[in-house]
Amino acid sequence: MPYEGLTTIEVEVEGGIAWVYLNRPEKKNAMNPTLHAEMIAVLEELEGDANVGCVVLAGRGNTFSAGQDLKEFFRDLSGDPIAFKKAQRNANDWRWHRLEVFDKPTIAMVEGVCIGGAFTQMIACDFALAAEDATFCLSEINWGQIPGGLVTRVVTEALGYRDALDLCLTGRKFDGIEAAKLRLINEAVPAAELKTRTRALAELLMSKDPEAYRATKHAVRYVRNIPVREAEDYLAAKIGELRMRAGTGAQEVAIRKFVEEKSYRPAESSYTSVSDKIE
Ligand code: COA
């Protein structure tokens, strides 16, 4: 079994959804170098696993993650720049570079704490749902640090300028309800409903054509930082790539349903926000 023998991660695949749990509850799922290495291997496996249509990232012990392991990641590696560089590269690889353009839908399911470095993977996921009473905090300034790794970069990507400055400079705690108001997450729900809501969203995302989902995710992520003309060209090329990977089948079926069969209406299958009722 590909997901056995892991010491810091637990994976449960059920109904096409891979529930990926950071599994160091005794340390509030603080991320040590072993966890980063294991997550790289796990994501690699999940991306190619035909039984998996959606990845949910969560944490054991009803908590998401207390960020980087201050002892094992920072202090223990402080005298070993090569080991530190490797751990840092692994950390950024899975939490951002890999997740940002992961081929399948990804959802961060946040309960308990989400602190510091844990913001990176939470923001990288396509969607983030949290318990209303979850605790978020960019605590680095309280440790005499800046939000390093890629945290400052991804926070400024997710939030407006004023809110990014506020959270980074004050290091204050805030709950899931405020995180939703800031649009740092899609939605906050009562803790007891979080898993059900997450499953419903995962099922909705898995109902989309997988190749169209993948290409659309790439398109949204990549066009933001390129000029309009290059974006126009990129999107045209991306449509070409989509046709090459998927053929024209999915698009043709959808158009036929609309034109000939008249069985397709956008309002029947779409929703504009996770805040809308998913069912
Ligand atoms: N790195 C290493 N260990 C951590 C950790 C971290 N980021 N966060 C928590 N832990 C460990 C604690 O040291 C403790 O270990 P111990 O039982 O061996 O002493 C265990 O997890 C439980 O934490 P504890 O502080 O006892 O629980 P709590 O419920 O009172 O508080 C937190 C939980 C998360 C609020 C608190 O531990 C905390 O503030 N952690 C630091 C988070 C942070 O600032 N991270 C930023 C890193 S970039």
Side-chain angles (χ1 to χ4, degrees):
M1 289 288 288
Y3 309 114
E4 285 179 1
L6 301 163
T7 60
T8 62
I9 313 288
E10 214 166 65
V11 180
E12 286 173 3
V13 180
E14 172 217 341
I17 305 170
W19 301 87
V20 179
Y21 296 97
L22 304 195
N23 189 25
R24 301 183 73 217
E26 73 290 353
K27 297 290 179 189
K28 303 289 177 190
N29 299 320
M31 298 175 283
N32 65 6
T34 304
L35 182 146
H36 292 307
E38 289 190 348
M39 273 306 294
I40 287 186
V42 164
L43 289 180
E44 176 79 21
E45 202 62 48
L46 289 169
E47 203 163 40
D49 188 335
N51 295 314
V52 172
C54 180
V55 170
V56 176
L57 190 58
R60 284 296 186 210
N62 301 106
T63 207
F64 190 67
S65 170
Q68 294 287 21
D69 189 308
L70 292 162
K71 179 177 179 298
E72 293 187 36
F73 189 88
F74 290 114
R75 185 197 279 169
D76 293 357
L77 299 184
S78 65
D80 188 342
I82 292 175
F84 182 70
K85 187 173 178 188
K86 184 175 174 190
Q88 183 91 67
R89 192 189 302 119
N90 282 347
N92 290 342
D93 272 359
W94 81 263
R95 290 180 309 161
W96 191 257
H97 304 304
R98 196 68 196 249
L99 272 181
E100 186 198 16
V101 287
F102 197 73
D103 277 354
K104 299 173 179 179
T106 55
I107 304 170
M109 185 176 83
V110 180
E111 53 187 335
V113 297
C114 175
I115 304 180
F119 274 54
T120 306
Q121 67 263 31
M122 184 268 294
I123 292 172
C125 286
D126 302 341
F127 291 83
L129 304 189
E132 288 174 348
D133 61 1
T135 299
F136 293 81
C137 178
L138 286 171
S139 65
E140 286 85 345
I141 195 157
N142 305 325
W143 298 97
Q145 268 300 332
I146 64 169
L150 284 168
V151 178
T152 299
R153 176 68 176 79
V154 304
V155 164
T156 55
E157 189 142 331
L159 294 175
Y161 172 71
R162 283 283 160 226
D163 292 320
L165 278 173
D166 165 8
L167 300 184
C168 291
L169 292 176
T170 65
R172 68 181 177 83
K173 292 193 296 187
F174 54 101
D175 64 14
I177 295 171
E178 185 176 353
K181 281 196 188 127
L182 290 169
R183 302 306 296 151
L184 181 63
I185 62 170
N186 297 89
E187 185 182 36
V189 298
E193 295 170 22
L194 183 60
K195 192 159 186 185
T196 307
R197 193 74 167 156
T198 304
R199 183 180 284 109
L201 175 60
E203 284 167 359
L204 177 81
L205 301 179
M206 289 192 296
S207 74
K208 306 296 173 192
D209 176 74
E211 288 294 345
Y213 188 99
R214 172 186 178 277
T216 304
K217 176 192 323 202
H218 289 185
V220 171
R221 292 262 152 90
Y222 285 134
V223 294
R224 279 176 307 172
N225 298 319
I226 54 179
V228 172
R229 280 182 185 276
E230 283 82 348
E232 196 174 9
D233 193 53
Y234 168 87
L235 291 170
K238 197 72 185 167
I239 289 169
E241 185 207 49
L242 177 57
R243 281 172 184 262
M244 189 193 75
R245 288 175 62 101
T248 51
Q251 190 185 18
E252 282 308 319
V253 169
I255 292 174
R256 192 180 65 236
K257 282 187 178 167
F258 182 72
V259 176
E260 273 91 35
E261 299 171 14
K262 300 199 180 301
S263 62
Y264 174 86
R265 286 289 176 273
E268 284 169 13
S269 63
S270 68
Y271 73 104
T272 51
S273 155
V274 184
S275 307
D276 295 340
K277 208 165 162 33
I278 287 172
E279 290 80 28

